[in-house]
Amino acid sequence: MAGNRDEILKDLRSYVIEVHFDKVNGEHRVMRCTLNQGLFSKKVREELNNSEGSRGMIPGVLPVYDLDKKAFRSFRLNSIISVKAA
C-alpha cells in the first residue's frame, strides 16, 4: 500500500485503508479510514459539503473519516507505522 502523502491520499479516495500509528500521547492506534465519499452516509456527505474549506490544512497532518468511530479524525504522517488495505 502507500508510503507518501500523495499515495496515501490516492488510496484513501478510492479504498478503505488501515493505518497503524502512534498518537501524540504515545498510545498505539489502528484506524480503518477513508476519504471515499461513496462510503459516507448522506448526512456525512452533507456535513462535509457544508464545511468545505472551513478545515485548515495543517502541514504533516491528514484528516480522514474513521469508519469505526463514524467521525472525522486525523493522524500525523510522521507517526505512521504501517498502512494497508482494510
Side-chain angles (χ1 to χ4, degrees):
M1 181 88 7
N4 69 42
R5 181 185 180 96
D6 292 336
E7 290 173 342
I8 293 171
L9 280 169
K10 180 181 172 192
D11 290 340
L12 282 164
R13 289 181 180 126
S14 300
Y15 311 107
V16 172
I17 66 171
E18 184 177 279
V19 181
H20 293 249
F21 64 98
D22 289 326
K23 294 171 51 172
V24 174
N25 67 6
E27 180 183 332
H28 181 75
R29 170 106 152 78
V30 178
M31 184 186 328
R32 285 183 341 107
C33 54
T34 190
L35 289 175
N36 181 338
Q37 290 193 27
L39 299 174
F40 296 171
S41 69
K42 181 179 178 182
K43 179 181 176 186
V44 171
R45 284 193 305 272
E46 288 172 355
E47 288 174 8
L48 183 62
N49 290 335
N50 290 338
S51 68
E52 198 73 34
S54 67
R55 288 180 170 223
M57 288 298 294
I58 300 170
V61 176
L62 193 57
V64 295
Y65 188 74
D66 183 326
L67 293 165
D68 298 321
K69 295 197 181 275
K70 296 184 179 16
F72 281 91
R73 297 289 189 262
S74 61
F75 56 86
R76 291 174 294 115
L77 292 167
N78 67 358
S79 71
I80 295 173
I81 296 166
S82 68
V83 178
K84 65 179 183 176

